[in-house]
């Protein structure tokens, strides 16, 4: 029996969905490029450029503290962009967030160092990092919603996973540009001024992302909210009515993945070079290959979630993450390049299992009229408690001794906490497995 050809309208709808998914992937990739570029520079460069009067350990802690400032600023961005995203639409807020991130990153590339302007150098660095954090705070939830709210009901996890793919893609892009720039000039020149080139490149990349994003249509879900006069005046207030307990469980569910990811993506660059004598290029290459695997496997795991549900997959992934976090740093501590590569590859295979569906899990907590605000709040609080604190806590636990046992215990505790939260959260059904035919009436 021959298959009935798709109608012109079905083909058009599919093209729109693909365009939206691609635009969200490109936009989040560029935003994460900026964010991770800062993390790599904080691990390898900023202690010498902006905190030269401190000891190596104190300088690294100070540099990672400026990295964490971006996470502290993310909830501000999430709340501001979430409010306007629920009030005036997803599309315009995402355009502004992309511009903020790109402009801030470009300006980081021209900030004078401590030797030139003294204490004003780290002050300016922190201010621009705050702008980065605000921009990314608006991006994370908004891109997930734009993609998911354009998706057919049976592929919501798959489409919500496209922005998640931007995280490893941005990491790979940042590391490739960083490594390439480093390879093309002497080490002293790169440490002195060459590190600025990847940041300056952000200005060109954001133009590309902006051109793509301007051609994306508004979320049909938000348009439905508007047409039914269901826009909330104070969406965050209404969002918290889903229950503090349920929101807290969701925050706890995502902390482990965030902490593990930032330990292997950011902390290991500093720890591996300073305490284990690994080559800087080797570590960045390992992180990049792991991120490629992470990127490539997200569509597989979101497809599993659409076909079979999230619960078993997420619980299994959480257990695997706990096991590998216990093994990761001891493997790195062997000092063997081959064993270290296996440790990183393991992270690349395991992290995407739970990361792939986090956005969809969080978004499905909230009704459409307050979804941007609620999702932003949960997503950014979880990011602070997980990824934002992980490099600082890990560096402090290592300290001058150079031992990683404390970091392993820390990761094990965080992973166990997330596993427990996931088990409790999945005891109740997903709040909104598909969009209702009509938007809810405003209270």
């Amino acid at each position: 029996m021959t298959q009935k050809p798709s109608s012109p309208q079905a083909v058009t709808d599919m093209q729109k969905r693909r365009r939206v998914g691609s635009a969200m992937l490109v936009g989040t990739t560029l935003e994460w490029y900026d964010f991770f570029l800062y993390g790599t520079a904080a691990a390898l460069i900023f202690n010498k450029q902006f905190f030269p009067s401190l000891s190596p350990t104190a300088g690294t802690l100070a540099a990672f503290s400026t990295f964490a400032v971006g996470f502290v600023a993310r909830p501000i961005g999430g709340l501001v962009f979430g409010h306007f995203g629920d009030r005036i639409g997803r599309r315009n807020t995402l355009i502004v967030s992309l511009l903020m991130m790109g402009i801030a990153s470009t300006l980081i590339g021209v900030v004078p160092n401590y030797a030139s302007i003294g204490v004003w150098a780290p002050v300016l660095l922190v201010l621009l990092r705050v702008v980065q954090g605000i921009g990314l705070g608006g991006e994370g939830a908004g891109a997930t919603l734009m993609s998911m709210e354009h998706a057919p009901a049976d592929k919501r996890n798959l489409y919500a996973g496209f922005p998640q793919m931007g995280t490893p893609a941005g990491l790979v892009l940042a590391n490739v540009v960083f490594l390439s720039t480093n390879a093309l000039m002497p080490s002293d020149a790169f440490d002195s001024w060459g590190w600025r080139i990847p940041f300056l490149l952000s200005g060109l990349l954001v133009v590309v992302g902006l051109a793509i994003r301007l051609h994306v249509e508004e979320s049909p879900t938000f348009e439905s909210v508007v047409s039914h006069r269901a826009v909330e005046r104070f969406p965050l207030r209404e969002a918290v009515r889903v229950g503090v307990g349920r929101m807290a469980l969701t925050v706890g569910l995502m902390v482990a993945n965030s902490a593990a990811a930032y330990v292997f993506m950011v902390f290991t660059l500093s720890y591996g070079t300073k305490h284990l004598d690994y080559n800087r290029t080797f570590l960045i290459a390992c992180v990049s290959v792991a991120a490629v695997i992470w990127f490539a496997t997200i569509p597989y795991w979101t497809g599993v979630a659409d076909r079979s549900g999230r619960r078993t997959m997420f619980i299994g992934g959480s257990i695997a993450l706990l096991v590998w976090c216990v093994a990761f740093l001891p493997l790195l501590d062997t000092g063997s390049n081959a064993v270290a590569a296996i440790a990183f590859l393991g992270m690349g295979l395991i992290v995407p299992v739970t990361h792939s569906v986090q956005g969809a899990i969080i978004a499905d907590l909230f009704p459409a009229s307050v979804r941007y605000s609620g999702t932003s709040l949960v997503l950014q609080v979880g990011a602070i408690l997980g990824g934002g604190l992980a490099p600082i806590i890990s560096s402090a636990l290592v300290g001058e001794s150079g031992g990683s046992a404390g970091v392993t215990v820390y990761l094990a505790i965080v992973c166990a906490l997330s596993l427990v939260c996931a088990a409790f959260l999945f005891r109740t059904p997903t709040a909104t497995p598909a969009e209702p035919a009509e938007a809810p009436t405003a209270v």
Side-chain angles (χ1 to χ4, degrees):
M1 184 175 66
T2 59
Q3 185 177 2
K4 184 179 180 179
S6 299
S7 68
Q9 183 60 44
V11 173
T12 300
D13 290 342
M14 183 180 298
Q15 290 173 341
K16 288 181 180 179
R17 290 165 180 161
R18 289 176 177 174
R19 183 166 62 245
V20 170
S22 299
M24 294 306 104
L25 172 57
V26 171
T28 52
T29 297
L30 297 181
E31 295 228 15
W32 281 111
Y33 164 81
D34 293 332
F35 207 74
F36 284 132
L37 187 62
Y38 190 104
T40 303
L44 302 173
I45 300 294
F46 285 169
N47 61 329
K48 294 173 284 188
Q49 289 292 317
F50 294 94
F51 306 98
S53 62
L54 301 178
S55 69
T57 298
T60 299
L61 285 171
F64 279 147
S65 295
T66 66
F67 178 72
V69 164
F71 283 87
V72 175
R74 280 173 64 174
I76 300 173
L79 295 178
V80 172
F81 281 94
H83 177 83
F84 288 104
D86 283 327
R87 295 276 299 161
I88 65 174
R90 315 332 190 184
R91 178 180 178 273
N92 291 334
T93 54
L94 287 171
I95 290 172
V96 174
S97 72
L98 184 63
L99 283 172
M100 286 183 66
M101 178 65 85
I103 292 171
S105 296
T106 303
L107 291 177
I108 287 173
V110 298
V111 171
N113 61 14
Y114 188 91
S116 299
I117 59 173
V119 70
W120 285 107
V123 169
L124 290 173
L125 188 68
V126 168
L127 289 176
L128 291 172
R129 183 60 174 172
V130 168
V131 176
Q132 273 194 329
I134 292 174
L136 189 61
E139 174 74 17
T144 298
L145 299 188
M146 274 290 284
S147 190
M148 187 174 77
E149 290 175 351
H150 277 87
D154 61 341
K155 293 184 179 180
R156 286 166 62 82
N157 289 295
L158 175 64
Y159 276 76
F162 289 145
Q164 302 295 91
M165 294 169 69
T167 304
L171 175 61
V172 172
L173 182 60
N175 285 347
V176 167
V177 173
F178 197 88
L179 278 175
S180 300
T181 308
N182 188 19
L184 291 173
M185 60 180 59
S187 180
D188 291 344
F190 179 80
D191 290 348
S192 175
W193 60 269
W195 63 269
R196 298 178 182 276
I197 296 174
F199 286 96
L200 296 174
L201 181 61
S202 179
L204 298 176
L205 294 176
V206 76
V207 173
V208 176
L210 187 62
I212 295 173
R213 192 159 278 186
L214 284 170
H215 289 85
V216 171
E217 298 180 4
E218 181 57 85
S219 158
T221 300
F222 177 77
E223 290 179 338
S224 176
V225 170
V226 173
S227 67
H228 287 84
R229 301 180 183 274
V231 175
E232 297 285 354
R233 186 174 182 183
F234 299 108
L236 182 63
R237 181 184 64 189
E238 301 303 320
V240 298
R241 291 187 177 182
V242 304
V244 174
R246 189 172 178 85
M247 291 173 69
L249 286 175
T250 310
V251 169
L253 169 147
M254 66 173 291
V255 167
N257 187 278
S258 184
Y262 279 90
V263 165
F264 104 77
M265 292 186 301
V266 176
F267 165 73
T268 53
L269 299 181
S270 173
Y271 173 68
T273 54
K274 293 180 180 178
H275 296 279
L276 302 176
D277 294 325
Y278 283 107
N279 178 269
R280 177 168 69 183
T281 301
F282 167 75
L283 289 178
I284 295 177
C286 284
V287 171
S288 299
V289 172
V292 170
I293 297 172
W294 179 0
F295 172 88
T297 54
I298 283 179
Y300 171 77
W301 292 115
T302 53
V304 171
D306 280 326
R307 293 190 301 271
S308 306
R310 302 167 183 156
R311 184 184 184 279
T312 301
M313 186 189 88
F314 197 95
I315 295 294
S318 297
I319 294 172
L321 187 63
L322 170 59
V323 172
W324 200 252
C325 280
V326 171
F328 177 67
L329 287 173
L331 291 174
L332 207 63
D333 287 341
T334 63
S336 165
N337 284 357
V339 175
I342 292 172
F344 281 104
L345 292 177
M347 280 293 189
L349 286 168
I350 294 170
V351 165
V353 181
T354 51
H355 176 254
S356 62
V357 292
Q358 277 184 176
I361 290 171
I362 298 169
D364 275 345
L365 281 176
F366 304 99
S369 58
V370 299
R371 186 173 289 154
Y372 204 146
S373 297
T375 302
S376 292
L377 178 63
V378 171
L379 189 64
Q380 303 312 330
V381 171
I384 291 176
L385 298 178
L389 295 179
I392 297 176
I393 292 174
S394 299
S395 295
L397 289 171
V398 169
E400 298 292 347
S401 67
S404 67
V407 183
T408 297
V409 172
Y410 157 67
L411 288 177
I413 292 172
V414 171
C415 288
L417 171 66
S418 286
L419 180 58
V420 170
C421 288
F424 276 98
L425 183 67
F426 284 121
R427 290 176 66 181
T428 56
T430 301
T432 54
E435 292 297 340
E438 295 187 356
T441 303
V443 177

